[in-house]
Amino acid sequence: MMRVLRPVALAAALAMMAATPMVAAPAASAQTMRDRQWYLTTLDVAAAQKITQGEGVIVAVLDSGIGEHPDLDGQALAGISYLSDDNSMADDSGHGSGMAGLIVAKGGDADHLLGIAPQAKVISVRTMTGSAPGTWTYIPETIRWAVDHGAKVINISGGGRVEAGGRWAVQYALDHDVLVVASTGDAKEFPGRTAVLEPASFPGVLAVTAVDRDGKVWDGALHGPQTVLAAPGVDIPMVSAAGGGRVVGYYESTNGTGNAAAIVSGAAALIRAKYPQLPVKDVVQRLIATADDAGAPGRDPEYGYGRLNLVKALTADVAPVAANPLLSGRQGAPDDEVGSHTFPNVLGDAIIQMLTIGAVCVGLLLLAGLILLLTRRRT
């Protein structure tokens, strides 16, 4: 299914922004795919999955599509393509499939990858293609579509410049109890830029940066005061399912904040499965209150509130909050450093438009009355 809507160009190819160029390869060493998933141990995923595996939760993957791969069999629900290039749901770059695998890969033996939430489901919302040097995106429309089709978590492993309406779409998601997770961005895709990209920089979005095996923030990550959480994103294996048709392969090692965002989306799916009545504001609070502080004390531009602590996020006693912590006391630079654009106040604009129309109508009536009066005087 395809919808042709108004496109907005990103500042660079979103398809490869959230992961370094990857070489598709079967394992060339004695290491299995599971051995390469070092973060499963770091996050104690085995212990977390004894608590929940994400049953009943849908994660929308706004990306390049989700291909066919044994590790994803039965894991993806029917989605939608917002691209005008063709009517295909195929993942031409492999990026979306890789992100989906990090969230819900089925596991199995050591030669298959295991996702953070293997009993959750993903729904593909195809928003971009990796077949061209530029990318087209429909972030506002696709966020709303994902919300309206049952997603409880939305993963956006990329970013750049988002059209007017992006902030409104994020608020729409939050108003409907849906968490939006996005990557802070990779510096190599935006030379000379240091600030967090859109939509991660939007109020209410859980902006995720990447750390390596040693827990140190990745030197390729963009960062800023909007950074919320850090998670594994370096030397990460992924499923390879690009190009359409059934593909059986893996990328042995990828780097990117997009990887980290997908892992946090998986963590959010586990929380939403364990606490199905927990509102989105408290899902956010649970993730940030249980994070392991890193970098400067408290929240800082590189690590945000700290590194993801998956088991603690599922088990700690965390008091509810009155408001979403990502919407209160927000600080940071303007979000439009990638490109110049504005974000309208929809209600305010509507009121102004109505008042303008009303004033024009009154003016026309007065003019007509004046003409009629002058005509009668002459006669």
Side-chain angles (χ1 to χ4, degrees):
M1 182 178 183
M2 178 181 71
R3 293 176 63 185
V4 180
L5 300 175
R6 180 163 52 98
V8 177
L10 292 179
L14 179 60
M16 303 318 300
M17 190 211 71
T20 56
M22 302 175 285
V23 179
S29 67
Q31 276 193 315
T32 64
M33 283 295 105
R34 191 65 56 81
D35 291 334
R36 293 179 180 276
Q37 289 187 278
W38 59 268
Y39 59 91
L40 297 182
T41 301
T42 301
L43 298 175
D44 202 358
V45 169
Q49 291 183 353
K50 288 180 181 178
I51 301 169
T52 177
Q53 296 190 21
E55 305 91 327
V57 177
I58 297 173
V59 180
V61 178
L62 276 55
D63 214 292
S64 60
I66 299 175
E68 297 180 35
H69 190 283
D71 293 4
L72 296 174
D73 283 348
Q75 300 297 80
L77 304 175
I80 187 172
S81 176
Y82 269 73
L83 301 184
S84 58
D85 60 340
D86 55 45
N87 198 29
S88 172
M89 288 295 294
D91 181 1
D92 62 352
S93 76
H95 190 268
S97 302
M99 298 303 105
L102 292 175
I103 300 168
V104 298
K106 293 164 56 176
D109 61 35
D111 291 325
H112 296 274
L113 296 181
L114 177 66
I116 300 295
Q119 289 189 22
K121 299 295 183 183
V122 288
I123 186 167
S124 176
V125 188
R126 193 164 178 254
T127 63
M128 61 90 173
T129 174
S131 62
T135 300
W136 300 90
T137 187
Y138 308 86
I139 292 298
E141 296 92 341
T142 52
I143 287 177
R144 177 157 187 158
W145 188 93
V147 170
D148 292 345
H149 288 78
K152 298 303 290 182
V153 179
I154 294 175
N155 182 81
I156 306 175
S157 287
R161 174 175 175 259
V162 176
E163 70 174 347
R167 298 189 189 202
W168 168 85
V170 170
Q171 189 59 54
Y172 180 84
L174 296 176
D175 289 345
H176 289 78
D177 196 41
V178 178
L179 177 64
V180 180
V181 180
S183 52
T184 60
D186 298 354
K188 66 171 295 183
E189 302 298 334
F190 295 89
R193 180 179 170 84
T194 58
V196 173
L197 299 179
E198 300 168 357
S201 61
F202 289 166
V205 176
L206 202 152
V208 182
T209 190
V211 294
D212 61 20
R213 292 173 182 261
D214 297 323
K216 295 181 179 179
V217 70
W218 179 46
D219 61 8
L222 296 173
H223 54 80
Q226 300 95 344
T227 305
V228 176
L229 206 61
V234 179
D235 195 19
I236 306 294
M238 294 196 320
V239 302
S240 169
R246 191 169 180 81
V247 181
V248 182
Y250 298 91
Y251 298 116
E252 290 188 345
S253 178
T254 71
N255 301 329
T257 58
N259 295 340
I263 287 172
V264 169
S265 289
L270 295 185
I271 293 172
R272 305 223 78 165
K274 172 72 184 303
Y275 305 99
Q277 303 305 316
L278 199 67
V280 67
K281 64 183 178 63
D282 292 312
V283 174
V284 172
Q285 179 66 11
R286 183 164 283 275
L287 284 165
I288 65 178
T290 59
D292 296 325
D293 195 16
R299 187 179 186 182
D300 66 81
E302 290 191 321
Y303 294 88
Y305 289 94
R307 292 185 291 258
L308 171 68
N309 187 322
L310 182 56
V311 174
K312 194 174 178 182
L314 289 168
T315 60
D317 184 11
V318 179
V321 292
N324 190 324
L326 302 183
L327 293 176
S328 59
R330 183 177 173 273
Q331 56 180 332
D335 295 322
D336 58 356
E337 293 181 47
V338 174
S340 177
H341 52 288
T342 58
F343 300 86
N345 180 327
V346 177
L347 180 59
D349 287 353
I351 293 172
I352 291 171
Q353 186 177 32
M354 290 173 63
L355 290 173
T356 301
I357 293 172
V360 170
C361 290
V362 171
L364 290 174
L365 288 172
L366 290 174
L367 180 61
L370 180 60
I371 293 173
L372 180 61
L373 179 61
L374 292 174
T375 302
R376 287 181 175 178
R377 284 182 175 180
R378 289 175 180 175
T379 59

